[in-house]
Amino acid sequence: MSAEREGSALVTGASRGIGAAIARALARDGWPVGINYRADIEGAEAVVSEIERDGGRALALQADVADPGAAEQLFAALESAFEAPVLVLVNNAGISRDDLTPSLGDEEWAAVIDTDLSGPFRLTRRALKPMLRARSGRIVNIASVVGLRANAGQANYAAAKAGLIALTKTAAIEVARRGITVNAVAPGWIDTDMTAGVSSELLSAVPARRAGTPEEVAACVRFLVSDEASYVTGAVLSVDGGLAA
Ligand code: NDP
């Protein structure tokens, strides 16, 4: 493990899938990590145990990011547990509720916008205050290829992810002078619970002809969080086997 960090990292939706891989990667780089989850306490605790077994520090934190109070709750808990500011925020938690636009219900629309866009906005707003004081920080938003190009049946998800990309770019230019970077990663088809029901025939549309792994997404996040990425901000890094090319 690398040197002691002067801050901690928060990864939302880290009980499984891409978020769990990101949390493990950041812990390997020496970040004490908050493992946020909504319902899967066993998954979150398994990620914490794995990180601790490898000599890292982690804490499971329940909160629904769609809840307006979640940002304060999560940051206060992490700041007190690790006695340090949160200097890395990875907005990873996300859901999809697919239907074609003529049948898409208000509930499905609101659930996806609240979780995938409003939650990351509130977390970003809360994260920036201590980052501005520290003149240091990294925010990485997990968007999607669907925020860049159309996919039938996902108007709510596409609107949320395209909005997340626009939020990323705007926040990035607002804080660039203060040593803080804000970037997005846009995964394509990644093998997780979210894509478990999707027909593998669709893989023929992916130039790489295979799904990606959560670790391949985590490697990009790890780079954007690293000191080496200090001049990368407002960027959208596609991790999609060529799907958006
Ligand atoms: P999974 O469905 O495998 O995992 C989702 C994670 O998010 C779980 O840890 C879940 O917690 C958590 N979560 C969901 N809703 C909330 C909430 N309201 N508050 C807090 N945590 C929540 O998803 P993936 O790992 O596949 O996706 C992660 C991110 O990557 C998402 O933003 C997704 O949109 C994006 N993405 C995924 C792609 C893919 O192909 N898989 C492609 C492009 C983007 P719990 O387990 O407790 O429910």
Side-chain angles (χ1 to χ4, degrees):
M1 227 177 65
S2 49
E4 279 282 300
R5 299 285 178 178
E6 281 165 17
S8 69
L10 171 61
V11 183
T12 65
S15 54
R16 54 199 161 90
I18 294 169
I22 293 169
R24 286 192 292 262
L26 296 183
R28 276 198 301 278
D29 279 346
W31 291 102
V33 189
I35 310 291
N36 161 247
Y37 66 99
R38 178 187 45 184
D40 183 7
I41 184 165
E42 278 119 44
E45 281 176 353
V47 176
V48 170
S49 303
E50 207 182 322
I51 289 173
E52 288 177 343
R53 205 174 47 234
D54 292 343
R57 291 203 289 160
L59 180 69
L61 296 164
Q62 195 286 327
D64 180 340
V65 298
D67 172 355
E72 188 51 41
Q73 181 193 329
L74 286 167
F75 276 77
L78 259 191
E79 286 161 353
S80 127
F82 294 129
E83 294 176 336
V86 178
L87 295 182
V88 177
L89 168 65
V90 182
N91 279 309
N92 166 80
I95 57 167
S96 55
R97 296 282 182 274
D98 299 354
D99 213 335
L100 294 172
T101 305
S103 346
L104 191 60
D106 285 347
E107 229 171 86
E108 286 70 35
W109 175 268
V112 171
I113 298 294
D114 289 351
T115 304
D116 297 12
L117 182 57
S118 302
F121 157 64
R122 291 192 201 96
L123 285 151
T124 298
R125 182 174 59 186
R126 176 60 177 81
L128 284 173
K129 288 168 189 158
M131 289 179 185
L132 286 165
R133 274 195 296 275
R135 295 192 162 259
S136 167
R138 293 280 189 270
I139 298 178
V140 182
N141 293 320
I142 308 303
S144 168
V145 62
V146 176
L148 299 169
R149 54 169 272 192
N151 193 33
Q154 293 201 299
N156 49 357
Y157 187 74
K161 295 299 190 180
L164 186 57
I165 289 171
L167 165 64
T168 301
K169 293 181 180 181
T170 307
I173 65 159
E174 289 175 358
V175 298
R177 273 171 303 172
R178 314 291 278 276
I180 302 165
T181 69
V182 188
N183 291 289
V185 167
W189 183 337
I190 309 299
D191 213 351
T192 67
D193 291 349
M194 186 179 261
T195 49
V198 181
S199 162
S200 54
E201 275 171 34
L202 292 179
L203 278 181
S204 59
V206 179
R209 296 288 188 275
R210 67 171 178 88
T213 65
E215 288 70 28
E216 287 174 312
V217 180
C220 296
V221 175
R222 184 180 176 208
F223 165 67
L224 291 171
V225 168
S226 73
D227 291 343
E228 283 72 24
S230 49
Y231 203 56
V232 181
T233 196
V236 184
L237 180 51
S238 289
V239 195
D240 64 1
L243 192 55

